Amino acid sequence: MSLVAVPFYQKRHRHFDQSYRNIQTRYLLDEYASKKRASTQASSQKSLSQRSSSQRASSQTSLGGTTCRVCAKRVSTQEEEEQENRSRYQSLVAAYGEAKRQRFLSELAHMEENVHLARSQARDKLDKYAIQQMMEDKLAWERHTFEERISRAPEILVRLRSHTVWERMSVTLCFTVQGFPTPVVQWAPRPCSQRACSMPGAVLEAREDSGVKTRIPPFRSHSLASGGNWRCDNAHNFVSSSQRLGNCAGCTGLMAPSLRVGVHLDCAFAGQAPGQAPGQQILIKQIFTDRLAHFHIRWHSNPSSSACGEHPGRSSSVPVCTRRRAFRGQPLSARVHQAETHSIPGAASQCPCAPGGEHSEGSPSMPLCTRIAWESGAKLKLLDYLRTAMGWIAHLGTTPCVGTAPSWSGPAAMVQGLPEAALCLLLWQHPRSYTERVQGFPPQALVDFDDTATYSAVATNAHGQVSTNAAVVVRRFRGDEEPFRSVGLPIGLPLSSVIPYTHFDVQFLEKFGVTFRREGETVTLKCTMLVTPDLKRVQPRAEWYRDDVLVKESKWTKMFFGEGQASLSFSHLHKDDEGLYTLRIVSRGGVSDHSAFLFVRDADPLVTGAPGAPMDLQCHDANRDYVIVTWKPPNTTTESPVMGYFVDRCEVGTNNWVQCNDAPVKICKYPVTGLFEGRSYIFRVRAVNSAGISRPSRVSDAVAALDPLDLRRLQAVHLEGEKEIVIYQDDLEGDVQVPGPPTNVHASEISRNYVVLSWEPPTPRGKDPLMYFIEKSVVGSGSWQRVNAQTAVRSPRYAVFDLMEGKSYVFRVLSANQHGLSEPSEMTSPIEAQDVTVVPSAPGRVLASRNTKTSVVVQWDRPKHEEDLLGYYVDCCVAGTNHWEPCNHKPIGYNRFVVHGLTTGEQYIFRVKAVNAVGMSENSQESDVIKVQAALTVPSHPYGITLLNCDGHSMTLGWKVPKFSGGSPILGYYLDKREVHHENWHEVNSSPSKQTILTVDGLTEGSLYEFKIAAVNLAGIGEPSDPSEHFKCEAWTMPEPGPAYDLTFCEVRDTSLVMLWKAPVYSGSSPVSGYFVDFREEDAGEWITVNQTTTANRYLKVCDLQQGKTYVFRVRAVNANGVGKPSDMSEPVLVEARPGTKEISAGVDEQGNIYLAFDCQEMTDASQFTWCKSYEEIADDERFKIETVGDHSKLYLKNPDKEDLGTYSVSVSDTDGVSSSFVLDPEELERLMALSNEIKNPTIPLKSELAYEIFDKGQVRFWLQAEHLSPDASYRFIINDREVSDSEIHRIKCDKATGIIEMVMDRFTIDNEGTYTVQIHDGKAKSQSSLVLIGDAFRTVLEEAEFQRKEFLRKQGPHFAEYLHWDVTEECEVRLVCKVANTKKETVFKWLKDDVLYETETSPDLERGTCQLLIPKLSKKDHGEYKATLKDDRGQDASILEIAGKVYDDMILAMSRVCGK
């Protein structure tokens, strides 16, 4: 068996032995073997025949004596002939066999050669097939895994943008969407609509190459119908070089997508080529790989236009005349593939350059595109792609199909006769724009006034859908107005917004307030408004700002404006979203705005004690090699300080996060290196402290690893006339081989951990790609060390790490290309790695001032050293505690902050700390204690001015107090008057009136007057009220009463309220006897009377109202002459309980006083509690007492009795109607008085009442146990109403720790019958317990005591522990047994029968304690009284057992049972 290892293809295919030969070869080998065996047998037979013939000859010779000579000669001659013939035959047979063998061997050798060749070819094919199959399986698995990994719902990266244009101008709507599988895009309005159908040239094109990033440019224009457009859609993706180019029809399946997506290009060329048919456009699609650049060129022909200007509905191919050229510094080989043909009925091409020559009309197929693939040995540079694309487009303009003679003047030359064109380059994350214009082509009309609409696009795939929309407003100019001419704008510059020219009046109806949320939650800030006039097609503009920075829509925020509301929604809050939000409604008439703060607290940490997440991630100075990431630190008021940060990166399109730094970075800035050119990245940061790692921050915006400085090398070159082209500055430098050294090498950023070097590229630079090498040297060492020996730097900036602290370094840079290495640059000045920025100093003095009832304004002095401040953090603490809480969770950039969400009436202390990238300062000094309450302002205006009486020369007026006093008590009111139609107001009272009613004298009868009133407090005089109605000065003489006034409301709940009013000043001809109260809904017309009969009270509780409805009320006074004039209608009242409504509580204090209590957190300095009984203010100091401390008020009942029953109410002034009531009924009063009595007359709780206990000596113990006794507690024992004290007869003691009081009597006799009582006093508390021992109860105690005493005495000498008893032994003998105790040697034991000594054979053993007497044969003669006695000098004892009657019968029965066993 061979030990040689068999190749894998032979193991896989079992034909590796002799059986591998074919059937024909085996047949030839078998035939050869059979012929060889036949020839061997023939030769053996011939030899046998020869031997037999020789034997015969010899025998004949022996007999030949009788043969004649002639005969013998003849015989010999024949034999010779036979022998000769035989030899000749044998030689012929041998020659024939040899020839046949040689022929067979040659055929066999040729066949073996063919077999070997076939076997070798088969093995090669099998190897190729196996490898190909293995690679296909691997690629299929990787493709499936990759597709699963990148599968995602559509996401819009760049949304549609609204446009406002004049008529006959062009509009292009573009948006970028990513997702996998490739999203399907639908547009609305669709181009097939009625309006679109009227534009025969309208095209809506959605080009999607890789499904990762797609630029979708819709067209809705007239230019395609009139002149046509050139449009270049250019998507840049990186894919594997082993992937094959696909079918170019429709650009579907060009290349499989890859994760290495980094750049998105969009090029647009507008205009019409000379000789191009109307409605045609060229789409040029270019896809880049590491080694392959693919240009896809295709004509589009509009069905309504003619191809090549001849026949409608036909297409023309654009042949590309290829030529060998090389990208800068990279050898390339051009390879022209055959054009792929696609069946287009009725298509024709007259292009002489097209493969296959001319095509006749009606040819079933035609060349539709030509693919040109460029192969390079290294990655092609992005800007080379752009330059190449420009050159090819210039070349396309010279093809015979276009009708212009070809010319080629350089990589990016534009030839004469090329139509007007504009080239725009969009680099993701680095917007730049360069415009190339070729004059001579007239502008084309595109849109008209009817094209104004909202256009939307919906992108859908298997995982979801997204949509975007934009408005196109087409303005119509009249007269001499001229439309704005088209100008080339850089893509990075936003177009100015057009403010609607109409004047709008905006009134906010509902506003969003200060909002508190937590990270990860959702919230919507919304305002409802009334916009006048309400125009459907023209609306004001709504703008949202956060800290005066315009907010834009993103995947985190969504905006809505319309239908009378504007909203800003957050799908996933983060601390980045915290700030002051302002909604501005902008129109030509001005700006209406509203602002409120949004607070976002940290989410719960993943590890207890871990810090909050960092915030506000920003990426700076991005280039091919690195990007600088900055962030803001979290507030760690309640956690341990942050020790450092971890920075993570993730490539766009994946979910693989990679940690960038091994050790935590100390400052809030870090240069991330190790990026791949052309790829896009996102970043996040995590904070670390002693407890653990925080949650990650919000991810940054995507950043592409590209160097924007490359765009600076583009410049415009003017050609003949007004033509110009955009080329590289490198093209003007000529051929440069080895580059020069870089210049201006300097440190652009210095830190303790790294130094960022920057320099200028060498001049001249050359066309070849440049790379840089950095060298460092310790000052004074004289030796240079290469920093980036392993990795070449491609951008003119680099971050150098691993520098020793405290040492100075110098640096120099060398440039290199494929031709060689330059000389080193000039070295830098000495640089030491150290932190240039230090921790800021603490802020200065902190001042807190009142703002509202839930907020405080905190101001502070800026720190002395405020280097690169990121902002400030404010902390607060309730006075008297040391528990600090953060007030803001994102640094604020100004030294004033309004702290919201505080508790009204609570006292707080504040402190501030400054923050920069290095860390946080020390805490500032604490502010003074401040109480949270509204700031002191002037009062609001009074309202509800009512005429109460008039006698023809004077008027009595009444009004309502202001709703808000301004934080200080109102000192009075000033009233002004004027006659109607007079301009000047006249003061009525020079000193303020303290009442809300005033009589104005000196009026002219019959004149009309109006009045206004202003309130005054410590802050000053408030705004005056609105002028009153016109009151006519004429005397009232009607018999009915005048109007009630000062209608107020309290205790507003969900279905009820209490209404109060004051009696009319004018009562008519008779006193007022009662009142009617009417109400109605605010917008209703009919009044409803609440009470069917009049009420004599000046208050009424109105029930059965509907929650959430708004009502108005009025009061009519009644006297004997009828119903008087109704009062003025009250202000509208919303029937709904205020959130957090509190009610009056009743209780008893520690002294047993009954009180009613009420708390109000909304109090101000001017607020006052007003207690009422039956809604009349309490003024009786003999029965009531009011105590108010802070926001707590109590009404005490001094001597509660039945007169105090009724309804009590309380109201708090200078609040939003805070009030409550309490009904004190008999049951409640009885409960309160019982509690009061228990408190005023307390009892000591007892665990056990008085009881007795008899000791074994006959002593009697009386005892009880209290729950608790203080050291000052006292007690008494009383027997039969006579107090006894501690003595030998009555031993009394008390254990105050356990609360046990006891009395022990040594001798309990018949004289002790009676009642036993214990009285306890402990402070104000008392307790008493009694025990009655009379009659049978006493005799029982006495007998038990005597018995226990006698037993005690008996047991002092020898005695029986067990008295005499009997049993039966196994021998059927009766045994009398007793047990003795307390015996000694002198103790005498005797048995007696009928008091006669009973002699026994053995004396009892008293030491054992058991004595027994055996009666062998029990009979009647044994009847009698048996006695056992004990006696010595201490005493005696006896035990008796009588054997007779039942005892004797029981013994007999027991003996029979024992004997019967």
Side-chain angles (χ1 to χ4, degrees):
M1 180 177 179
S2 177
L3 298 177
V4 180
V6 181
F8 73 94
Y9 54 84
Q10 292 184 358
K11 290 182 179 178
R12 191 171 180 180
H13 306 284
R14 294 182 298 177
H15 37 269
F16 60 88
D17 52 3
Q18 295 282 336
S19 61
Y20 184 79
R21 298 173 178 176
N22 56 18
I23 298 175
Q24 184 178 3
T25 304
R26 292 199 298 270
Y27 286 165
L28 291 175
L29 293 175
D30 294 342
E31 183 180 359
Y32 172 77
S34 61
K35 288 183 178 179
K36 189 173 182 180
R37 288 193 300 271
S39 62
T40 303
Q41 293 176 359
S43 60
S44 61
Q45 291 177 0
K46 288 179 180 178
S47 62
L48 291 174
S49 62
Q50 288 177 0
R51 286 197 298 269
S52 62
S53 61
S54 62
Q55 291 176 0
R56 287 195 304 268
S58 62
S59 65
Q60 290 175 3
T61 304
S62 64
L63 298 176
T66 61
T67 304
C68 64
R69 185 180 298 176
V70 176
C71 292
K73 186 177 181 179
R74 185 181 303 116
V75 171
S76 62
T77 303
Q78 290 178 352
E79 290 179 355
E80 290 176 0
E81 289 178 357
E82 289 179 2
Q83 185 69 27
E84 184 179 357
N85 290 337
R86 190 180 299 112
S87 61
R88 186 184 300 112
Y89 174 76
Q90 290 178 354
S91 63
L92 289 176
V93 170
Y96 174 76
E98 182 64 22
K100 189 175 181 180
R101 188 179 68 83
Q102 292 296 333
R103 184 173 65 253
F104 176 77
L105 290 176
S106 63
E107 290 179 356
L108 182 60
H110 180 67
M111 189 173 296
E112 287 180 350
E113 183 180 356
N114 291 339
V115 169
H116 179 73
L117 180 62
R119 182 178 180 181
S120 177
Q121 292 177 351
R123 288 182 177 180
D124 292 342
K125 288 184 179 180
L126 288 174
D127 292 344
K128 291 181 180 179
Y129 174 78
I131 295 173
Q132 181 180 0
Q133 188 66 27
M134 181 176 63
M135 294 303 296
E136 288 180 356
D137 293 343
K138 183 178 180 181
L139 290 176
W141 181 83
E142 290 179 350
R143 186 182 302 109
H144 176 70
T145 305
F146 170 76
E147 289 178 356
E148 287 184 351
R149 187 165 65 250
I150 68 171
S151 294
R152 64 183 61 191
E155 179 181 1
I156 294 179
L157 303 181
V158 179
R159 308 187 72 84
L160 288 177
R161 186 175 175 183
S162 300
H163 298 268
T164 302
V165 297
W166 291 90
E167 280 189 312
R168 305 179 65 79
M169 291 181 64
S170 62
V171 177
T172 300
L173 300 179
C174 300
F175 79 101
T176 301
V177 62
Q178 72 175 2
F180 192 85
T182 303
V184 177
V185 178
Q186 296 179 339
W187 289 84
R190 297 182 180 274
C192 59
S193 62
Q194 182 178 359
R195 179 59 194 158
C197 293
S198 64
M199 301 183 294
V203 175
L204 193 61
E205 186 74 21
R207 305 289 297 159
E208 306 174 23
D209 287 328
S210 66
V212 179
K213 288 190 176 181
T214 306
R215 175 69 64 177
I216 303 179
F219 289 90
R220 193 176 190 266
S221 62
H222 297 284
S223 63
L224 298 178
S226 58
N229 271 3
W230 284 18
R231 181 162 186 84
C232 174
D233 256 357
N234 195 350
H236 183 186
N237 300 302
F238 291 97
V239 297
S240 172
S241 61
S242 64
Q243 292 172 314
R244 301 178 58 190
L245 296 173
N247 195 330
C248 53
C251 293
T252 58
L254 285 177
M255 288 192 179
S258 173
L259 287 177
R260 300 174 57 189
V261 175
V263 182
H264 186 103
L265 300 179
D266 183 22
C267 302
F269 297 87
Q272 181 181 7
Q276 179 185 349
Q280 290 180 337
Q281 60 175 330
I282 294 179
L283 293 182
I284 301 179
K285 184 69 61 175
Q286 183 179 6
I287 298 177
F288 301 94
T289 69
D290 288 346
R291 300 176 54 84
L292 203 59
H294 174 230
F295 291 82
H296 187 144
I297 308 167
R298 184 167 60 145
W299 279 100
H300 275 281
S301 179
N302 192 286
S304 61
S305 60
S306 59
C308 297
E310 296 179 1
H311 305 288
R314 297 177 184 173
S315 301
S316 299
S317 64
V318 183
V320 180
C321 300
T322 61
R323 57 184 297 178
R324 183 181 182 87
R325 65 184 298 266
F327 288 90
R328 182 170 57 250
Q330 299 177 359
L332 303 177
S333 60
R335 182 177 64 196
V336 180
H337 297 269
Q338 293 297 324
E340 300 183 29
T341 59
H342 308 274
S343 298
I344 301 180
S349 174
Q350 304 299 328
C351 176
C353 298
E358 298 183 0
H359 294 262
S360 61
E361 183 173 351
S363 175
S365 63
M366 58 172 290
L368 193 61
C369 68
T370 303
R371 297 185 303 181
I372 298 147
W374 300 97
E375 291 183 351
S376 65
K379 185 184 295 183
L380 302 181
K381 299 187 64 175
L382 175 63
L383 296 179
D384 290 336
Y385 299 158
L386 173 61
R387 187 169 64 172
T388 304
M390 293 170 56
W392 275 109
I393 292 173
H395 184 62
L396 290 176
T398 66
T399 57
C401 285
V402 179
T404 308
S407 72
W408 186 277
S409 59
M414 287 300 199
V415 299
Q416 301 268 349
L418 189 67
E420 177 182 8
L423 172 62
C424 297
L425 169 64
L426 176 63
L427 293 179
W428 257 167
Q429 305 299 331
H430 302 285
R432 297 288 188 273
S433 178
Y434 296 89
T435 304
E436 179 178 11
R437 306 189 59 80
V438 181
Q439 303 296 331
F441 190 76
Q444 303 175 11
L446 296 179
V447 296
D448 58 20
F449 187 76
D450 294 332
D451 290 319
T452 298
T454 298
Y455 294 82
S456 61
V458 180
T460 307
N461 69 2
H463 302 286
Q465 71 176 20
V466 292
S467 63
T468 179
N469 57 72
V472 177
V473 179
V474 182
R475 299 179 60 185
R476 176 170 291 171
F477 57 91
R478 302 179 179 83
D480 297 333
E481 284 189 83
E482 291 295 332
F484 296 111
R485 295 301 179 188
S486 176
V487 294
L489 289 177
I491 294 178
L493 299 178
L495 295 176
S496 60
S497 302
V498 179
I499 300 178
Y501 56 84
T502 305
H503 175 82
F504 290 95
D505 182 19
V506 179
Q507 179 182 1
F508 289 106
L509 303 179
E510 295 182 6
K511 304 176 183 179
F512 61 91
V514 177
T515 307
F516 297 88
R517 289 292 186 274
R518 188 183 292 271
E519 281 185 315
E521 297 179 351
T522 61
V523 70
T524 298
L525 307 180
K526 182 172 65 174
C527 279
T528 59
M529 64 198 71
L530 179 62
V531 180
T532 308
D534 185 11
L535 303 179
K536 294 183 178 180
R537 301 187 64 178
V538 180
Q539 291 286 334
R541 186 176 72 250
E543 296 177 345
W544 288 90
Y545 292 84
R546 179 178 60 240
D547 298 330
D548 296 330
V549 177
L550 184 64
V551 178
K552 298 181 180 180
E553 277 199 352
S554 66
K555 64 179 180 179
W556 314 107
T557 58
K558 302 296 179 183
M559 302 180 189
F560 174 79
F561 178 59
E563 301 177 1
Q565 68 177 11
S567 63
L568 176 64
S569 299
F570 298 87
S571 59
H572 191 279
L573 280 173
H574 199 272
K575 289 185 295 185
D576 299 59
D577 301 317
E578 182 174 283
L580 181 66
Y581 283 83
T582 302
L583 170 62
R584 296 177 183 174
I585 307 299
V586 184
S587 67
R588 184 62 60 88
V591 177
S592 300
D593 59 2
H594 168 68
S595 300
F597 210 93
L598 171 63
F599 292 89
V600 183
R601 295 179 297 168
D602 286 299
D604 293 333
L606 300 176
V607 179
T608 303
M615 69 211 78
D616 198 14
L617 244 68
Q618 302 291 334
C619 298
H620 310 276
D621 198 20
N623 54 56
R624 296 188 185 98
D625 301 295
Y626 79 98
V627 61
I628 293 180
V629 181
T630 63
W631 59 91
K632 293 180 180 178
N635 193 354
T636 56
T637 302
T638 58
E639 299 86 13
S640 59
V642 173
M643 301 165 52
Y645 304 89
F646 285 116
V647 182
D648 304 330
R649 75 168 185 264
C650 176
E651 191 173 338
V652 172
T654 71
N655 196 27
N656 299 324
W657 288 95
V658 179
Q659 185 172 303
C660 302
N661 53 319
D662 296 330
V665 60
K666 302 294 184 181
I667 63 175
C668 299
K669 181 185 292 186
Y670 186 75
V672 179
T673 58
L675 306 181
F676 292 93
E677 181 180 1
R679 301 188 187 182
S680 295
Y681 296 88
I682 55 178
F683 301 89
R684 71 183 186 188
V685 180
R686 296 168 294 152
V688 185
N689 68 358
S690 58
I693 302 178
S694 72
R695 292 178 179 269
S697 66
R698 175 178 285 178
V699 299
S700 67
D701 295 331
V703 177
L706 295 172
D707 198 340
L709 295 180
D710 284 344
L711 296 177
R712 298 181 184 176
R713 298 189 289 111
L714 290 174
Q715 64 178 7
V717 177
H718 294 276
L719 300 179
E720 299 178 1
E722 298 182 355
K723 299 178 181 178
E724 61 182 19
I725 61 174
V726 177
I727 63 175
Y728 281 94
Q729 184 179 359
D730 311 345
D731 296 328
L732 303 178
E733 297 176 351
D735 294 332
V736 177
Q737 299 296 323
V738 178
T743 59
N744 190 24
V745 181
H746 63 282
S748 58
E749 184 176 346
I750 300 176
S751 172
R752 181 174 58 183
N753 302 319
Y754 61 89
V755 171
V756 177
L757 296 177
S758 300
W759 59 86
E760 297 292 335
T763 304
R765 180 185 185 278
K767 299 181 181 180
D768 298 314
L770 276 183
M771 60 187 69
Y772 301 96
F773 295 96
I774 296 92
E775 295 180 347
K776 68 179 179 181
S777 173
V778 179
V779 174
S781 65
S783 61
W784 291 92
Q785 178 185 358
R786 180 154 299 180
V787 175
N788 58 325
Q790 303 296 330
T791 305
V793 177
R794 295 159 294 177
S795 299
R797 287 171 305 284
Y798 189 71
V800 181
F801 290 86
D802 300 329
L803 301 178
M804 299 180 63
E805 188 173 357
K807 290 191 176 182
S808 298
Y809 293 84
V810 291
F811 301 89
R812 67 184 185 185
V813 183
L814 299 88
S815 58
N817 61 9
Q818 66 176 1
H819 299 291
L821 190 68
S822 73
E823 294 294 328
S825 67
E826 295 183 0
M827 66 179 183
T828 64
S829 57
I831 299 171
E832 182 178 353
Q834 59 184 356
D835 287 333
V836 179
T837 304
V838 297
V839 176
S841 59
R845 183 181 56 173
V846 180
L847 297 176
S849 57
R850 291 162 53 177
N851 185 42
T852 68
K853 60 183 179 181
T854 59
S855 63
V856 169
V857 177
V858 181
Q859 294 175 295
W860 58 90
D861 296 334
R862 295 183 180 274
K864 295 180 181 179
H865 304 286
E866 48 179 346
E867 291 83 0
D868 301 324
L869 275 185
L870 298 176
Y872 302 91
Y873 280 124
V874 181
D875 302 332
C876 69
C877 172
V878 176
T881 68
N882 196 30
H883 182 65
W884 291 92
E885 291 288 343
C887 299
N888 60 315
H889 308 86
K890 178 182 177 182
I892 54 175
Y894 31 86
N895 62 335
R896 181 182 183 274
F897 185 67
V898 180
V899 181
H900 291 273
L902 304 177
T903 303
T904 303
E906 191 66 80
Q907 293 183 335
Y908 289 89
I909 303 172
F910 298 90
R911 70 184 184 188
V912 184
K913 50 193 172 187
V915 183
N916 66 2
V918 180
M920 296 187 187
S921 70
E922 297 292 333
N923 293 316
S924 68
Q925 294 182 354
E926 298 175 359
S927 68
D928 295 333
V929 178
I930 184 172
K931 184 178 180 180
V932 180
Q933 52 190 357
L936 185 63
T937 61
V938 297
S940 60
H941 60 81
Y943 64 101
I945 303 175
T946 305
L947 179 61
L948 303 179
N949 193 9
C950 181
D951 59 3
H953 301 287
S954 65
M955 292 183 180
T956 301
L957 302 174
W959 60 88
K960 294 183 179 180
V961 299
K963 292 184 177 180
F964 299 100
S965 65
S968 176
I970 294 178
L971 302 178
Y973 303 91
Y974 289 101
L975 189 143
D976 296 337
K977 70 175 181 178
R978 72 176 178 184
E979 290 189 32
V980 178
H981 307 309
H982 286 199
E983 294 183 0
N984 297 327
W985 290 90
H986 301 281
E987 186 181 69
V988 173
N989 55 325
S990 57
S991 60
S993 172
K994 298 187 179 300
Q995 304 296 326
T996 58
I997 186 171
L998 182 66
T999 300
V1000 182
D1001 298 321
L1003 303 179
T1004 303
E1005 188 174 4
S1007 298
L1008 295 174
Y1009 292 89
E1010 59 182 351
F1011 304 89
K1012 66 179 182 180
I1013 305 171
V1016 60
N1017 66 0
L1018 289 176
I1021 301 176
E1023 291 293 326
S1025 64
D1026 294 334
S1028 67
E1029 300 177 7
H1030 296 169
F1031 298 136
K1032 188 174 183 180
C1033 185
E1034 58 181 5
W1036 287 9
T1037 59
M1038 66 277 197
E1040 296 85 5
Y1045 71 101
D1046 196 12
L1047 275 64
T1048 58
F1049 302 91
C1050 63
E1051 304 173 37
V1052 179
R1053 302 297 184 260
D1054 289 338
T1055 59
S1056 65
L1057 56 81
V1058 175
M1059 181 179 176
L1060 300 90
W1061 62 89
K1062 292 183 179 179
V1065 174
Y1066 178 78
S1067 60
S1069 59
S1070 60
V1072 175
S1073 60
Y1075 303 91
F1076 285 111
V1077 177
D1078 305 329
F1079 77 99
R1080 71 180 185 189
E1081 291 189 25
E1082 183 179 9
D1083 298 329
E1086 183 178 356
W1087 289 94
I1088 301 174
T1089 302
V1090 178
N1091 51 328
Q1092 300 302 321
T1093 59
T1094 60
T1095 176
N1097 300 321
R1098 291 195 301 275
Y1099 65 90
L1100 183 67
K1101 185 172 184 178
V1102 184
C1103 301
D1104 299 329
L1105 301 176
Q1106 296 185 21
Q1107 182 179 357
K1109 293 292 185 68
T1110 303
Y1111 296 89
V1112 292
F1113 297 82
R1114 71 180 185 183
V1115 177
R1116 293 174 293 151
V1118 180
N1119 64 6
N1121 297 295
V1123 181
K1125 179 181 179 182
S1127 66
D1128 291 343
M1129 184 175 63
S1130 69
E1131 68 269 16
V1133 180
L1134 176 64
V1135 180
E1136 190 173 54
R1138 297 172 65 253
T1141 298
K1142 295 184 177 181
E1143 303 294 347
I1144 295 175
S1145 60
V1148 181
D1149 63 8
E1150 295 179 354
Q1151 288 74 34
N1153 300 318
I1154 299 174
Y1155 66 85
L1156 303 178
F1158 186 73
D1159 299 341
C1160 178
Q1161 301 294 334
E1162 294 83 0
M1163 282 193 63
T1164 64
D1165 288 346
S1167 299
Q1168 293 181 352
F1169 289 90
T1170 301
W1171 287 92
C1172 302
K1173 183 181 179 184
S1174 299
Y1175 295 97
E1176 294 289 341
E1177 187 173 355
I1178 295 175
D1180 188 359
D1181 295 337
E1182 294 182 358
R1183 301 193 62 84
F1184 303 99
K1185 183 181 72 171
I1186 298 175
E1187 289 185 359
T1188 301
V1189 178
D1191 55 0
H1192 309 284
S1193 182
K1194 290 183 178 181
L1195 174 67
Y1196 286 94
L1197 306 180
K1198 292 183 177 180
N1199 299 304
D1201 55 21
K1202 293 183 179 180
E1203 294 183 6
D1204 295 323
L1205 299 177
T1207 301
Y1208 292 84
S1209 63
V1210 62
S1211 60
V1212 185
S1213 62
D1214 201 36
T1215 59
D1216 190 14
V1218 176
S1219 59
S1220 180
S1221 65
F1222 182 85
V1223 177
L1224 185 62
D1225 53 20
E1227 291 78 8
E1228 183 66 16
L1229 180 60
E1230 183 179 356
R1231 184 185 70 84
L1232 294 174
M1233 291 184 69
L1235 291 175
S1236 176
N1237 182 62
E1238 291 180 1
I1239 294 174
K1240 290 182 177 180
N1241 303 295
T1243 60
I1244 300 174
L1246 300 178
K1247 289 185 177 180
S1248 176
E1249 295 289 341
L1250 185 61
Y1252 71 90
E1253 181 182 3
I1254 300 176
F1255 294 155
D1256 53 1
K1257 295 182 181 181
Q1259 300 169 324
V1260 179
R1261 173 178 176 255
F1262 295 91
W1263 66 278
L1264 62 79
Q1265 185 176 8
E1267 291 281 351
H1268 174 72
L1269 292 178
S1270 69
D1272 299 329
S1274 61
Y1275 56 91
R1276 293 193 309 164
F1277 263 97
I1278 300 173
I1279 303 175
N1280 295 328
D1281 298 329
R1282 184 174 62 86
E1283 182 179 356
V1284 295
S1285 60
D1286 186 19
S1287 63
E1288 294 181 356
I1289 300 175
H1290 304 93
R1291 289 180 291 143
I1292 302 173
K1293 67 178 182 178
C1294 174
D1295 186 355
K1296 295 180 179 179
T1298 59
I1300 296 177
I1301 302 174
E1302 65 180 6
M1303 179 184 66
V1304 178
M1305 299 175 66
D1306 290 338
R1307 187 68 182 268
F1308 195 72
T1309 65
I1310 195 169
D1311 296 333
N1312 298 125
E1313 183 177 7
T1315 302
Y1316 295 79
T1317 303
V1318 177
Q1319 294 180 349
I1320 308 173
H1321 294 267
D1322 192 356
K1324 294 182 179 181
K1326 300 178 182 179
S1327 184
Q1328 177 176 303
S1329 181
S1330 298
L1331 178 63
V1332 178
L1333 296 178
I1334 298 175
D1336 293 340
F1338 172 74
R1339 284 191 291 271
T1340 300
V1341 176
L1342 180 61
E1343 291 175 357
E1344 185 177 357
E1346 286 293 332
F1347 173 78
Q1348 291 295 338
R1349 187 178 65 84
K1350 291 179 179 179
E1351 280 292 306
F1352 173 75
L1353 294 176
R1354 182 179 69 84
K1355 292 180 180 179
Q1356 298 305 307
H1359 63 276
F1360 289 95
E1362 288 185 7
Y1363 287 104
L1364 195 61
H1365 60 280
W1366 63 269
D1367 61 3
V1368 178
T1369 66
E1370 293 180 356
E1371 290 78 10
C1372 291
E1373 295 178 343
V1374 175
R1375 180 174 54 188
L1376 302 182
V1377 181
C1378 63
K1379 289 185 179 181
V1380 297
N1382 197 16
T1383 61
K1384 60 183 183 177
K1385 292 182 179 181
E1386 291 79 11
T1387 302
V1388 178
F1389 179 86
K1390 294 180 180 181
W1391 288 102
L1392 300 174
K1393 178 181 179 184
D1394 298 331
D1395 294 330
V1396 177
L1397 182 63
Y1398 191 89
E1399 296 293 341
T1400 59
E1401 295 180 358
T1402 59
S1403 59
D1405 187 3
L1406 297 181
E1407 292 182 359
R1408 295 178 54 189
T1410 303
C1411 299
Q1412 61 182 6
L1413 176 64
L1414 294 177
I1415 303 176
K1417 296 179 180 180
L1418 183 67
S1419 62
K1420 289 185 178 182
K1421 66 178 182 178
D1422 295 320
H1423 282 204
E1425 182 183 74
Y1426 291 83
K1427 179 187 295 185
T1429 62
L1430 285 172
K1431 185 177 180 181
D1432 60 16
D1433 56 357
R1434 295 174 297 171
Q1436 63 182 5
D1437 195 11
S1439 178
I1440 300 173
L1441 176 64
E1442 185 177 1
I1443 300 177
K1446 186 176 184 307
V1447 175
Y1448 178 79
D1449 296 337
D1450 291 338
M1451 289 180 179
I1452 296 298
L1453 181 61
M1455 291 174 60
S1456 65
R1457 283 198 297 267
V1458 172
C1459 294
K1461 291 182 179 180

